[in-house]
Amino acid sequence: MSLFTSRRSALPGFNLSLGYTVFYLSLIVLVPLSAVFLKTAGMTWESFTQAVASPRVIASYKITFGASFLAALINMVFGLLLAWVLVRYPFPGRKVIDALVDLPFALPTAVAGIALTAIYSKNGWIGQFLEPLGIHVAFTELGVLMALTFIGLPFVVRTLQPVIEELQPEIEEASASLGANRWQTITRVILPELYPALLTGFALSFARALGEYGSVVFISGNMPMRTEIVPLLIITKLEQYDYRGATAIAAVMLVASFLLLLVINLLQKWSRRYHRV
Amino acid sequence: MSIIATGITKTFGRYKALNDVDLVVPSGKLVALLGPSGSGKTTLLRIIAGLEHADEGSGKIEFHGQDVSRVPAGERGVGFVFQHYALFRHMTVADNIAFGLRVRPRTQRPSETKIADRVGELLKLVQLDGLDRRFPSQLSGGQRQRVALARALAVEPKVLLLDEPFGALDAKVRKDLRRWLRQFHDEIQLTTIFVTHDQEEALEIADDVVIMNQAKVEQVGTPQEVYDRPTTPFVYQFLGNVNVLRDVAAWSTTGPIHDNGRLAADGLLYVRPHDIAVSRHEPGTLGVPAVFRHVHTAGSQTSLTLELLHTRETVEAEISRTELAELNIKLNDLVLLRLRPSHTFQHDYAI
């Protein structure tokens, strides 16, 4: 009699695989994360609040969460467009573009940061045209957003592609033959089918952006109160041998990220409510 | 509303899906487009619906005498039902059915209470009352197809087009649903075209059958006409089993070879298994000698496999079980085969 009875499946070994799952997850994820909390737990409440709620840290939360959220939003819109085009339209060079999408995955983030900085700085290829218009990208909040958008794009595209591939073209035809115009077909038929995948892509892109460090530190200029992101603050604390301060901020980040992802997952589950059976 | 298609040609790249096809569907009829896959039947249906367009400069589609070739699908007044239902899975059954009404421009859109009434009516019509709050994933295949039908009917189409409507269902449900469709059609009297590759389905419920092959229409007629008097070898072979016999001279002594165009233009004799009579081999009896090789019983009918003595051709003959018992023959016995006169009663002519 086992505690977790499951329906008999063709693949045996449920207990063994569950045990393995728990062990592996503990080793790789839970143990390191709990170390963060243990370390933080050694602090007094006063020093904790001081570490996690000083104006400089609060400012860094704002820029990190704000820019990550915006970047994920931007990626959701343009990633959808990109995935749609890549799946639906055959055109020369499609395979190449499809491969390019993965580049932000593969590129060392520092390289990405340096490249973006070089291009968008005052004398860069693009920066030199933006600068006279009063648009400053490098070493501003816009730069942070840019870097986070760059690294998050593949998540949305890769999540959406298989879902769009599975979308039957017939549902669009059904919609059209029932008299819907294109806009109605997009908003009432296609987008609702894509919401779960869109939310997943958004969550992944958002989560990735929250933890991003390498590319941002180059383009942001790391100005305290303005463009200093949380991961950088953690590193700074570590370099000053303030391990407790670093883990305290890390713990706050961890809880906040976890809650946000949980909410997104619940939203996603709700958007798939029709998908039972 | 009548549908007339004239001179429709459609090519996909180098592949010709339809080659100068004409089709006339009288108002209020239930017409089957029947053919093997790749014969162009679905393409023709989609062109009628406006989901596909005929090649530039080729032919036109008329609804009730009005050229609709350039009218977009949504404005043609057609209800289209897809083989795999194409229901919106994120909407309940009621929302699916109401979709066509809700997307109307504000001025023509019925009020929500009117929409709800209409949805209720349609659910009753397709015998799905009480399932309005379900999602498509919670329905069986047959139920989904009826939801798709109700959704298509909600916009009060003047023409109903069904693309292999029972193709994805299992045998029992298929049979029930197609009989239901026939009754349903008699009730609502809507001009209906349905595509199928199942000859039994077409012959059972259609008023007229249009048989298509290789981008062309082979024959048009009532189910009885096309079954009893096929005009081409293809139709003969496609509608039911047929024996193709080479030795016309030998068979001509045993029965009428001109019945129903049995003797085709290609010089071969096309004979249905049930038009072959089997008798014991007795001296002095007329017939083509054959060896009884195999028997296969399906219900009340038996199907005999016979090998012709002279040409070694294999012939199928269908006789009832009683007949077989009266024959009293064993495997590998010698028997005699004759052509029966065909069973048609009207327009008994030969080509």
Side-chain angles (χ1 to χ4, degrees), chain B residues 33-98:
Chain B
L33 290 183
L34 176 66
S37 51
S39 58
K41 54 195 192 311
T42 294
T43 309
L44 182 56
L45 192 77
R46 290 170 57 85
I47 288 175
I48 294 170
L51 296 173
E52 208 95 64
H53 292 276
D55 287 354
E56 206 59 45
S58 94
K60 59 178 177 182
I61 306 283
E62 286 166 88
F63 285 180
H64 206 68
Q66 224 167 17
D67 188 352
V68 294
S69 307
R70 296 192 181 282
V71 179
E75 290 161 34
R76 282 195 191 185
V78 298
F80 199 96
V81 175
F82 295 82
Q83 181 179 4
H84 299 287
Y85 329 125
L87 293 176
F88 308 129
R89 343 176 257 174
H90 61 281
M91 293 184 201
T92 60
V93 167
D95 288 340
N96 261 288
I97 296 173

Side-chain angles (χ1 to χ4, degrees), chain B residues 25-155:
Chain B
V25 178
S27 188
K29 286 274 170 98
L30 177 60
V31 171
L33 290 183
L34 176 66
S37 51
S39 58
K41 54 195 192 311
T42 294
T43 309
L44 182 56
L45 192 77
R46 290 170 57 85
I47 288 175
I48 294 170
L51 296 173
E52 208 95 64
H53 292 276
D55 287 354
E56 206 59 45
S58 94
K60 59 178 177 182
I61 306 283
E62 286 166 88
F63 285 180
H64 206 68
Q66 224 167 17
D67 188 352
V68 294
S69 307
R70 296 192 181 282
V71 179
E75 290 161 34
R76 282 195 191 185
V78 298
F80 199 96
V81 175
F82 295 82
Q83 181 179 4
H84 299 287
Y85 329 125
L87 293 176
F88 308 129
R89 343 176 257 174
H90 61 281
M91 293 184 201
T92 60
V93 167
D95 288 340
N96 261 288
I97 296 173
F99 183 85
L101 300 172
R102 292 212 176 109
V103 295
R104 283 187 183 170
R106 199 171 298 267
T107 49
Q108 298 161 35
R109 198 183 306 159
S111 68
E112 274 301 316
T113 44
K114 272 205 182 128
I115 290 179
D117 289 347
R118 180 94 181 108
V119 168
E121 260 169 51
L122 285 162
L123 278 170
K124 199 169 277 173
L125 192 65
V126 298
Q127 300 169 359
L128 289 175
D129 357 16
L131 297 184
D132 52 333
R133 310 278 294 271
R134 300 266 187 100
F135 283 104
S137 61
Q138 297 166 309
L139 302 177
S140 71
Q143 290 173 326
R144 285 182 211 183
Q145 196 55 289
R146 278 181 283 162
V147 174
L149 190 61
R151 182 179 68 177
L153 291 171
V155 291

Side-chain angles (χ1 to χ4, degrees), chain A residues 40-53 248 252:
Chain A
T40 315
M43 299 172 84
T44 61
W45 181 250
E46 219 163 279
S47 58
F48 176 74
T49 47
Q50 210 165 28
V52 301
V252 170

Side-chain angles (χ1 to χ4, degrees), chain A residues 140-156:
Chain A
T140 65
E141 292 87 340
L142 201 56
V144 178
L145 183 64
M146 189 76 108
L148 295 182
T149 309
F150 175 83
I151 52 135
L153 180 69
F155 292 92
V156 178

Side-chain angles (χ1 to χ4, degrees), chain A residues 58-269:
Chain A
I58 297 279
S60 78
Y61 293 148
K62 277 185 191 153
I63 181 76
T64 302
F65 282 99
S68 297
F69 188 82
L70 270 181
L73 271 186
I74 293 170
N75 279 332
M76 200 163 83
V77 175
F78 290 94
L80 170 62
L81 208 63
L82 199 56
W84 187 266
V85 169
L86 285 176
V87 172
R88 280 299 169 90
Y89 306 108
F91 56 90
R94 180 166 74 158
K95 285 255 156 30
V96 177
I97 294 187
D98 197 50
L100 277 176
V101 168
D102 280 332
L103 222 52
F105 270 147
L107 207 64
T109 49
V111 176
I114 294 167
L116 285 173
T117 314
I119 289 172
Y120 286 103
S121 67
K122 221 180 288 179
N123 311 314
W125 288 350
I126 300 178
Q128 60 179 323
F129 299 111
L130 293 179
E131 208 71 18
L133 301 172
I135 301 170
H136 309 284
V137 179
F139 316 122
T140 65
E141 292 87 340
L142 201 56
V144 178
L145 183 64
M146 189 76 108
L148 295 182
T149 309
F150 175 83
I151 52 135
L153 180 69
F155 292 92
V156 178
V157 178
R158 291 291 177 241
T159 329
L160 279 170
Q161 264 176 327
V163 180
I164 297 176
E165 264 161 26
E166 263 188 31
L167 217 58
Q168 302 175 311
E170 283 98 58
I171 62 165
E172 290 155 52
E173 291 175 346
S175 169
S177 81
L178 289 168
N181 59 36
R182 287 176 194 183
W183 178 247
Q184 286 169 324
T185 300
I186 291 171
T187 55
R188 297 190 184 205
V189 175
I190 296 172
L191 281 182
E193 293 268 352
L194 297 180
Y195 281 150
L198 269 175
L199 279 169
T200 308
F202 176 84
L204 289 172
S205 170
F206 180 59
R208 175 78 178 83
L210 284 178
E212 176 58 14
Y213 170 73
S215 58
V216 180
V217 291
F218 289 98
I219 200 168
S220 72
N222 306 322
M223 285 165 282
M225 305 301 292
R226 259 195 77 201
T227 60
E228 193 176 44
I229 55 169
V230 181
L232 179 75
L233 211 58
I234 295 172
I235 298 274
T236 317
K237 295 246 181 212
L238 285 176
E239 278 170 354
Q240 295 160 354
Y241 302 106
D242 179 7
Y243 295 134
R244 289 209 165 148
T247 51
I249 299 176
V252 170
M253 276 294 274
L254 212 58
V255 170
S257 309
F258 180 75
L259 287 178
L260 279 169
L261 291 177
L262 193 69
V263 168
I264 294 171
N265 269 330
L266 288 175
L267 263 177
Q268 197 220 19
K269 193 174 172 193

